[in-house]
Amino acid sequence: MTRPGRDDDPDRLYTLTGGRSKPDSDTFDLVTLVVSECDPAPGMQSEHVAILDLCRAPTAVVEIAAELRIPVGIATILLSDLLHAGKITVRPPRTGLPGAPWHALPDTTTLEKVLVGLRKL
């Protein structure tokens, strides 16, 4: 049994990134939100076009990788290219608490509400 996207030729992924195995920056993680800053231009790589079309609204890196059916590492390399070209902007997800760092945990009240909601299921 095979799953979609798992049988992609590794050579194809290698050519998508121009032979690179890591992005040029560490800006991206799975939940980093990406937004397109322009429309695709003629002659752009098809994956870059797909990313710009997909990110008209804030979209997480993991969603982009899933939609394109490519590994997250490959997606971050493509996103890094677009970021350096000024075609996208990135921001961490909001925590809901003003001034809190993006990687901060939610407050305990929120966590308790989620736990109560899950128990009611």
Side-chain angles (χ1 to χ4, degrees):
M1 180 175 180
T2 60
R3 295 185 350 195
R6 292 287 180 181
D7 295 330
D8 290 338
D9 185 5
D11 292 341
R12 178 184 160 272
L13 298 176
Y14 183 80
T15 57
L16 285 179
T17 62
R20 294 170 289 157
S21 61
K22 294 183 179 179
D24 294 336
S25 69
D26 58 352
T27 304
F28 302 98
D29 62 19
L30 293 176
V31 295
T32 302
L33 296 175
V34 179
V35 178
S36 300
E37 291 298 324
C38 64
D39 290 326
M44 290 182 76
Q45 185 176 344
S46 63
E47 287 78 12
H48 287 156
V49 171
I51 291 170
L52 291 177
D53 286 338
L54 185 64
C55 296
R56 294 183 192 278
T59 308
V61 170
V62 68
E63 294 177 65
I64 295 167
E67 285 292 326
L68 297 179
R69 294 182 173 199
I70 57 176
V72 171
I74 301 297
T76 58
I77 293 170
L78 297 172
L79 289 167
S80 179
D81 293 342
L82 290 171
L83 181 64
H84 288 300
K87 307 284 186 192
I88 61 170
T89 55
V90 297
R91 69 174 173 82
R94 294 178 191 240
T95 60
L97 299 174
W102 70 270
H103 51 79
L105 294 174
D107 63 295
T108 55
T109 305
T110 303
L111 294 174
E112 288 173 4
K113 289 179 182 177
V114 170
L115 183 60
V116 168
L118 289 172
R119 286 183 178 155
K120 288 182 179 177
L121 293 177

